[in-house]
């Protein structure tokens, strides 16, 4: 497949995902209007969802991430009042397998936009850094979610199915979700960087890091030496070049320089 056809397909898929995410936002606004006639807790929850779902659109995050985040978040908010958890007990685990990773990837990209984290395609960034950062963010999201369930059950008295086994399973699902999101972010960054013609420093001719961790010195160009007094490079004859010096009688004589500071012999 040519690059033009591939970019056209990616652009079409992005527009479809963005349109789907916009429909989810419309559904969230309608849900918030309906929840306005419900208890205050439900109205606040749906109002917060509307605010959160506006962030990926305003920040122009990837359309696929926008769609996944919006769908999972709206489903999670609707699941309890609509009785979906009771009708489908597997739904809780399914949401924990999707939502923490989507939130972690969103936070990762937002922190990159705020210049608090390096871009996933930054030169010199190790391949495992992106998944590691995303997993760390996902772990925080998963723990906060469990705090929310504990607060709702033990403090507010909500009928939330939260016990030790459920908490451990939810945390494991959240970490798995964040790891998958980190791997997808790293793969996307690698593909984008490769299509843009970028590559590692070694591939571009720049010296890579030395074994000790310091960047390797760039070799001096041929015909340049270091000035002994100022430490600055100056022009000089290349190794093995012939130079002419005036002889005693004024006639030039050839001298072959064997190296910087090395012995010379007359031709």
């Amino acid at each position: 497949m040519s690059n033009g056809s591939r970019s056209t397909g990616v652009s079409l898929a992005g527009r479809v995902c963005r349109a789907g995410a916009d429909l989810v936002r419309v559904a969230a606004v309608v849900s918030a209007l309906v929840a306005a006639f419900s208890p205050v807790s439900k109205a606040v929850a749906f109002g917060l969802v509307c605010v959160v779902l506006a962030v990926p659109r305003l920040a122009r995050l990837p359309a696929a991430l926008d769609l996944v985040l919006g769908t999972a978040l709206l489903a999670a908010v609707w699941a309890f009042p609509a009785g979906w958890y009771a009708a489908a007990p597997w739904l809780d685990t399914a949401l924990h397998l999707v939502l923490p990773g989507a939130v972690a990837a969103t936070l990762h990209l937002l922190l990159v936009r705020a210049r608090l984290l390096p871009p996933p395609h930054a030169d010199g960034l190790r391949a495992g850094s992106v998944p590691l950062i995303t997993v760390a963010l996902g772990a925080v999201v998963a723990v906060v979610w469990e705090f929310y369930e504990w607060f709702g059950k033990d403090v507010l008295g909500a009928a939330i199915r939260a016990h030790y086994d459920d908490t451990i399973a939810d945390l494991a699902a959240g970490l798995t979700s964040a790891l998958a999101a980190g791997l997808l972010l790293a793969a996307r960054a690698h593909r984008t960087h490769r299509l843009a013609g970028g590559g590692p420093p070694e591939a571009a001719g720049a010296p890579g890091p030395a074994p000790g961790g310091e960047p390797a010195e760039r070799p001096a160009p041929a015909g340049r030496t270091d000035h002994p007094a100022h430490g600055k490079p100056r022009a000089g004859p290349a190794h093995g070049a012939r130079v002419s010096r005036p002889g005693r009688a004024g006639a030039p004589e050839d001298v072959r320089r064997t190296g910087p500071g090395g012995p010379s012999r007359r031709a």
Side-chain angles (χ1 to χ4, degrees), residues 1-11:
M1 182 183 294
S2 63
N3 290 336
S5 301
R6 185 179 305 171
S7 61
T8 302
V10 171
S11 177

Side-chain angles (χ1 to χ4, degrees), residues 212-254:
E214 298 294 332
E217 295 183 358
R218 191 182 295 272
R224 299 186 69 87
T225 59
D226 290 338
H227 195 284
H230 304 289
K232 299 180 179 179
R234 66 173 183 173
H239 180 73
R242 290 179 177 273
V243 297
S244 297
R245 292 180 180 175
R248 293 181 180 179
E253 58 181 355
D254 293 335

Side-chain angles (χ1 to χ4, degrees), residues 64-80:
L65 177 61
D66 188 6
L67 177 59
V68 172
L69 175 66
T71 304
L73 189 58
L74 187 60
V77 176
W78 264 113
F80 181 72

Side-chain angles (χ1 to χ4, degrees), residues 55-56 61 65-66 69 101-111 137 185:
V55 173
L61 296 183
L65 177 61
D66 188 6
L69 175 66
V103 175
T106 301
L107 291 176
H108 193 161
L109 295 179
L110 290 177
L111 290 173
L137 293 172
L185 273 184

Side-chain angles (χ1 to χ4, degrees), residues 9-253:
V10 171
S11 177
L12 178 60
R15 287 197 295 268
V16 171
C17 290
R18 190 71 74 187
D22 289 338
L23 289 177
V24 172
R25 273 182 279 273
V26 172
V29 172
V30 173
S31 300
L33 293 177
V34 173
F37 301 96
S38 302
V40 178
S41 59
K42 293 183 181 179
V44 171
F46 282 103
L48 289 176
V49 168
C50 292
V51 174
V52 172
L53 293 188
V55 173
R57 193 68 161 92
L58 296 176
R60 300 188 63 83
L61 296 183
L65 177 61
D66 188 6
L67 177 59
V68 172
L69 175 66
T71 304
L73 189 58
L74 187 60
V77 176
W78 264 113
F80 181 72
W84 294 348
Y85 287 139
W90 52 266
L91 182 60
D92 179 60
T93 302
L95 289 175
H96 279 279
L97 282 171
V98 176
L99 192 52
V103 175
T106 301
L107 291 176
H108 193 161
L109 295 179
L110 290 177
L111 290 173
V112 169
R113 296 284 179 88
R115 299 184 179 181
L116 295 174
L117 287 177
H121 58 271
D123 291 336
L125 193 66
R126 294 184 179 272
S129 300
V130 175
L132 181 62
I133 295 172
T134 311
V135 167
L137 293 172
V140 174
V141 173
V143 170
V144 170
W145 191 341
E146 295 307 312
F147 282 166
Y148 165 77
E149 290 187 350
W150 165 81
F151 185 81
K153 177 185 177 182
D154 293 351
V155 177
L156 300 181
I160 298 177
R161 184 175 62 92
H163 48 82
Y164 181 78
D165 294 340
D166 177 74
T167 299
I168 295 300
D170 290 347
L171 289 175
L175 291 176
T176 303
S177 173
L179 176 60
L183 293 175
L184 289 175
L185 273 184
R188 178 180 180 273
H190 175 74
R191 179 176 59 84
T192 302
H193 194 46
R194 179 171 53 82
L195 292 178
E202 293 80 359
E214 298 294 332
E217 295 183 358
R218 191 182 295 272
R224 299 186 69 87
T225 59
D226 290 338
H227 195 284
H230 304 289
K232 299 180 179 179
R234 66 173 183 173
H239 180 73
R242 290 179 177 273
V243 297
S244 297
R245 292 180 180 175
R248 293 181 180 179
E253 58 181 355

